[in-house]
Amino acid sequence: MVSLRKPIALAALPAAALFLMALDLPENPPVPEQRPEASTAQPGSAAAPEKADAATETEDAAKAEGAEAGKPAEEAPKPDAAAEGEDADKSSADEEAIEKVEEDLPDDPPVPEERADNPPTPPPADPKPAKEDAEAFNRCTAELMKLGTAFKVLDTIDGPGICGIDRPLEVTMVIKGVELSPAGTMRCETALALANWAKDYVNPTAKVALSKDAELKRINQASTYICRSRNNVEGAKVSEHAKGNAIDIASLTFSDGTVVDMEPRMTDGTATGAFQRTVSAAACLYFKTVLAPGSDATHQDHMHLDVIDRKGGYRYCR
Ligand SMILES: [Zn+2]
C-alpha cells in the first residue's frame, strides 16, 4: 500500500506544482502576454482573464497610450503595416485613412476662405458709381477744350458694384501737343487736373531742369480707369482707378528725346532727380493724392495721382 501511495503522492506533486505554476504564470507576466496575443489571432479563451489583468495593471498605461498620446505613435507604423499586406492592419489602416480624410474635409475650410476672398473683387453691390453734377461737368469740359485737350465723352460705365464712371472721357491728348499714351479713360476732373499740372508745372520745370527747348510731348500712362481694389489687394477698398479718379504715370517723353522714367529719386543728385521731385510736389496742388515712386512698395515704377474727395479737402502726398 505504501509503495502504491508514494507513486500516487509523487504523481500528485508535479500536478499540484504545475497547477500552482499555472496559477502563477498569468499573474506574473501579464504585460508581455497581452501584447503578443493582441497581435496574433486570439482564440478567445484567454480573453477574459487578460482583460481582467489588463484592467488592473495596464489601465493607466492604456489610458495614457490609447487616448491621445497613442494616436501619433499609431500613425507611424501604419504605412509599414499597409505595405506588408497584413489584413488586420490594412483594415485598421484603411479606417484610419478614411478617418483622416474625413477629418481633413471639415478642417480644410478653404470654402469659407474662398467665399471671403471672392466677394471683395466685385465690390459691395449697394453703392453705384457717383453721378456727375451736370453743371460742373460742362464747366470742366469747357476748360479742357480751352487747354487743347483731345477727348470724347463715352457712354456711362456702370459697375460692377461701385466701379464705373457716370460721364467718362477718353483722353488722347492731355493738352495741345501732349499725347496721352495709350489713350486713357477717366473723369473730367481727373483729366483737368492732369492738363493743368502738365501746362503749369511739367513743361516749365522741364525747361529749367532738362533743356530750354524741352517740350513735353507724351505722358506715358500705366493705368487709368480699371475696376480693381487698392494695389490689387483682395478685400481692400476699391481703388480710385475704379472710379475714374486716378492715373498712374510711368514716364514722360520730351521733344528733345529725353525720357524721364518715374523711379525712386529722393536721393538722386542729378537735374533729372530735381525735376521729378519738383513735378511730384507740384502735382499735390492739383491732385488730392500723390504717391511718388519710392513712397511705398507698390509705387516703385510709377507716380499715382488721384482726385479722391476727402473730408476737409485733405491731401495725401508722399
Ligand atoms: Zn494708381
Side-chain angles (χ1 to χ4, degrees), residues 16 23 82 90 105 108 222 265 276 278 289 294 296 303 314 316:
L23 285 176
K90 255 189 183 177
L105 283 174
D108 254 293
R265 294 188 190 271
Q276 185 180 298
T278 300
T289 307
D296 64 35
M303 181 186 292
Y314 181 77
Y316 185 92

Side-chain angles (χ1 to χ4, degrees), residues 266 280-281 284 288-296 299 303-304 314-318:
M266 293 312 292
S280 176
C284 200
K288 307 292 176 51
T289 307
V290 177
L291 296 172
S295 59
D296 64 35
H299 295 88
M303 181 186 292
H304 168 97
Y314 181 77
R315 293 166 193 239
Y316 185 92
C317 303
R318 299 289 186 275

Side-chain angles (χ1 to χ4, degrees), residues 132-194:
E132 206 77 65
D133 179 86
E135 277 188 30
F137 181 79
N138 290 337
R139 279 199 304 272
C140 179
T141 51
E143 289 278 336
L144 286 184
M145 284 187 274
K146 274 192 236 172
L147 291 164
T149 305
F151 65 92
K152 63 178 177 182
V153 181
L154 302 177
D155 291 339
T156 298
I157 303 169
D158 187 0
I162 203 170
C163 288
I165 310 176
D166 182 31
R167 305 293 302 275
L169 304 187
E170 185 189 59
V171 177
T172 52
M173 200 79 87
V174 178
I175 51 175
K176 189 178 179 185
V178 179
E179 182 190 351
L180 182 64
S181 178
T185 302
M186 62 193 81
R187 288 184 56 235
C188 186
E189 188 181 344
T190 313
L192 186 57
L194 185 68

Side-chain angles (χ1 to χ4, degrees), residues 10 13 27 48 71 75 78 94 106 109 120 134 140 150 153 156 163 171 188 191 221 240 256 260 286 291 298 300:
L10 288 170
L13 279 171
E27 285 179 6
K71 281 183 183 174
E75 282 173 7
K78 278 167 205 165
D94 289 347
C140 179
V153 181
T156 298
C163 288
V171 177
C188 186
Q221 58 99 352
E240 290 304 301
D256 63 353
V260 178
Y286 302 91
L291 296 172
T298 59
Q300 293 295 316

Side-chain angles (χ1 to χ4, degrees), residues 223 228 239 241 246-248 299 302-305:
S223 179
R228 65 166 171 83
S239 166
H241 286 277
I247 180 168
D248 290 343
H299 295 88
H302 67 273
M303 181 186 292
H304 168 97
L305 307 171

Side-chain angles (χ1 to χ4, degrees), residues 1 9 28 107 161 169 186 209 237:
M1 293 294 284
N28 290 335
D107 286 345
L169 304 187
M186 62 193 81
K237 288 178 93 174

